[in-house]
Amino acid sequence: MTHAERPSAAAATLPVDLDEAAHRCLVAGFDGTTAVPHPLKRLIDRGLGGVILFTRNVRDAEQVRRLTDELRSIRPDLLVAIDNEGGGTGHLVRADAPEVPDSYALGVADDPALTARCADALAGHLATLGITASYAPVADLQHEPRNPIVRTRSFGADPVLAARHLRAWIDATDARGVASCAKHFPGHGGTVTDSHHGIAVDARPYDRLLVDLAPFRAAIDAGVPMLMSAHVVFPALDANRPATLSRRILGDLLRLELGFEGVLVSDALEMKAIADAYGEAAGARIALAAGADQVIVAVPDLEVTLACRDAVLDALHSGALPEERVREAAGRVRRLAERYATPRRMTAPWDADAGLEAARRAVRTRALPAPVRGAHVVDLFPAPHPALDRRGEDLLTELRAFDPEATGTALSAEPTDEAALVEGIARTGAPLVVATSDAGLHPWQARLRDTLAARRPDALLVDTGLPEGGALCSYRRGKVNLRAVAEVLAGA
């Protein structure tokens, strides 16, 4: 007998409506592209609030439509969600997703109408697939140079700039009948740890944290229907628990001081900041008690989701989790579903070229170098982040679309024989382009770039992450970002 078929003692004694309310507070990931797993069907039958899709659930656009239709045939008010920030973060490439740059490039271009066109394209595409909740945009401010996780996902470091682009994104998404979600409250941009991998701490004093709250205030004022919490400890706000588990941050700060009345959803509980320190099941119980309305369990192993569910039911049964707290949370989720669960499949066309226009405008905000033809491109970048990055985009491929004579070397890890590599590259007679991606976080990239630049002072340096002094910057490695740089390199 599987976990799904072993109801806890608490589940057997709770009122049916309270059991349903508890299930509404869960968002589950799962495996597969066609059939809905039986344990997931049982969860949906009992009131599951939402599912979150990933690349593992996507084969092509028509398949996604069939899958979302099947999910809603089980329960029409199920919210179907996905991370859909654009740029390098995208799970819908195989479903013909519109190409838009990361938010940082939109901030550099600084045209809210253009940001709205990009957000509209993403949301219009989601609606045609039957996906009506988007865990975007990122409202974090990127102001810590060593931050490993926010970076170009942010609109920038300026809270006023971020606020105007957040408003544009939220309004455009809502106009398509898709729920947006500003994340990660109260801000992940001041940390030097990725909460996917461990406990992240922002030790700044309270007065310095206020700037990070400003974009979230703007998102709330714009009517954002969802916020996502950060798995970050803020000693100035609550020294004992990360924001996702903190009543002081979720209750006192977000609900009482900022007046947010929408759905507060946790970041994924299997992230190590929660899973290693508390465990997913305890994390679910504590997050709901602290003020979250939904908790995400994104891993495809439904046993983890079921363990979280049972922890919530047991806490309700024992009184450790107040019944009124769960009913309040479920009520918010129910109202969200009433507004967004049903997709608008018949949608007006979106601007498929908005993303490339934005990427071009971001690249061209600085003085441009002269074109290089027949260049040798050394493209250095870290291995893709498993939760965020696509795989396969590279600068050489984009450049060869305009300059077939271009050659290159791509590395996503430190070379085994750096001296031999440098010698071979330095001796090439072709113009040399050296691209790095956040080399300040990856010393092997910085060392290799600097060594090549010393051997070849004529080398053209390109940044494919945040700006680090290169002649060109793409503001991340999304397809349109790299294409916009390639056009400049080739003089296209």
Side-chain angles (χ1 to χ4, degrees):
M1 181 178 290
T2 68
H3 194 151
E5 295 163 334
R6 294 196 305 269
S8 67
T13 58
L14 290 176
V16 172
D17 64 331
L18 184 56
D19 181 84
E20 179 183 326
H23 281 78
R24 282 192 181 271
C25 296
L26 298 170
V27 177
F30 64 99
D31 207 358
T33 58
T34 53
V36 177
H38 179 70
L40 183 61
K41 287 183 179 179
R42 290 278 297 127
L43 284 167
I44 297 171
D45 281 336
R46 289 176 65 175
L48 183 71
V51 296
I52 179 169
L53 303 183
F54 285 89
T55 304
R56 62 178 178 253
N57 303 116
V58 177
R59 191 175 63 226
D60 56 53
E62 186 53 41
Q63 166 268 318
V64 175
R65 293 185 190 100
R66 290 194 300 268
L67 180 60
T68 59
D69 284 344
E70 182 177 356
L71 287 164
R72 286 198 180 83
S73 72
I74 304 168
R75 191 178 184 100
D77 61 354
L78 180 73
L79 288 162
V80 180
I82 198 165
D83 282 316
N84 201 47
E85 300 170 19
T89 304
H91 300 286
L92 294 168
V93 175
R94 289 181 290 186
D96 306 319
E99 295 281 355
V100 305
D102 264 21
S103 292
Y104 203 96
L106 297 176
V108 171
D110 197 15
D111 180 350
L114 183 55
T115 293
R117 286 163 55 200
C118 290
D120 174 72
L122 292 175
H125 178 248
L126 290 185
T128 67
L129 299 177
I131 301 171
T132 60
S134 173
Y135 295 133
V138 170
D140 307 318
L141 297 177
Q142 172 53 41
H143 48 65
E144 166 54 64
R146 297 169 296 165
N147 184 288
I149 187 61
V150 174
R151 307 191 74 76
T152 58
R153 299 166 66 199
S154 164
F155 286 109
D158 180 351
V160 176
L161 178 146
R164 59 177 171 262
H165 289 276
L166 285 163
R167 293 187 196 99
W169 187 294
I170 291 164
D171 288 347
T173 303
D174 193 74
R176 290 286 187 174
V178 174
S180 57
C181 178
K183 59 187 185 184
H184 307 79
F185 183 83
H188 207 322
T191 71
V192 296
T193 301
D194 178 354
S195 54
H196 290 88
H197 302 315
I199 292 288
V201 178
D202 188 334
R204 290 176 297 160
Y206 177 77
D207 60 343
R208 291 185 57 199
L209 295 176
L210 294 178
V211 66
D212 292 70
L213 295 179
F216 292 97
R217 289 182 188 272
I220 293 168
D221 290 345
V224 69
M226 294 188 290
L227 290 182
M228 180 181 288
S229 63
H231 299 334
V232 176
V233 177
F234 298 86
L237 302 175
D238 186 338
N240 298 314
R241 286 182 170 171
T244 294
L245 308 182
S246 170
R247 184 179 287 110
R248 292 180 186 175
I249 295 174
L250 303 188
D252 297 345
L253 178 59
L254 180 59
R255 296 296 187 190
L256 296 181
E257 184 175 333
L258 300 188
F260 179 59
E261 297 179 353
V263 168
L264 175 62
V265 60
S266 79
D267 211 341
L269 295 180
E270 70 273 10
M271 293 166 62
K272 291 185 181 297
I274 300 297
D276 285 1
Y278 300 89
E280 295 95 333
R285 170 180 56 81
I286 299 169
L288 292 174
D293 300 311
Q294 285 190 312
V295 292
I296 296 176
V297 189
V299 290
D301 182 0
L302 287 165
E303 290 288 314
V304 180
T305 304
L306 291 163
C308 293
R309 186 274 311 272
D310 287 350
V312 172
L313 296 179
D314 290 342
L316 281 169
H317 185 257
S318 69
L321 179 58
E323 176 181 326
E324 59 270 22
R325 170 78 272 273
V326 171
R327 292 191 185 278
E328 173 191 51
R332 290 196 183 106
V333 175
R334 190 177 294 111
R335 290 190 290 275
L336 185 74
E338 288 171 354
R339 183 174 174 185
Y340 294 104
T342 302
R344 301 177 189 173
R345 289 287 175 79
M346 300 299 293
T347 63
W350 55 83
D351 184 353
D353 297 323
L356 181 56
E357 178 183 339
R360 285 169 172 160
R361 286 173 59 177
V363 167
R364 294 167 187 267
T365 54
R366 54 168 69 185
L368 301 181
V372 291
R373 304 292 296 186
H376 185 85
V377 178
V378 181
D379 194 8
L380 310 176
F381 51 93
H385 192 295
L388 299 176
D389 293 328
R390 303 176 184 176
R391 297 175 185 270
E393 293 92 351
D394 68 271
L395 181 57
L396 178 60
T397 297
E398 296 303 320
L399 180 57
R400 285 176 65 89
F402 304 102
D403 181 6
E405 301 304 313
T407 60
T409 304
L411 289 174
S412 60
E414 187 171 359
T416 55
D417 190 344
E418 184 173 311
L421 178 68
V422 168
E423 188 64 28
I425 294 171
R427 289 189 306 193
T428 181
L432 182 61
V433 175
V434 181
T436 54
S437 181
D438 292 330
L441 299 181
H442 305 281
W444 68 270
Q445 288 188 45
R447 186 179 63 249
L448 189 50
R449 175 199 61 201
D450 295 345
T451 302
L452 286 168
R455 291 288 302 273
R456 287 284 302 269
D458 63 319
L460 180 64
L461 304 185
V462 175
D463 303 320
T464 63
L466 288 174
E468 293 183 307
L472 288 170
C473 185
S474 66
Y475 308 100
R476 208 179 179 184
R477 300 183 60 84
K479 187 176 180 64
V480 289
N481 302 79
L482 295 179
R483 179 176 171 182
V485 166
E487 290 176 347
V488 173
L489 290 174

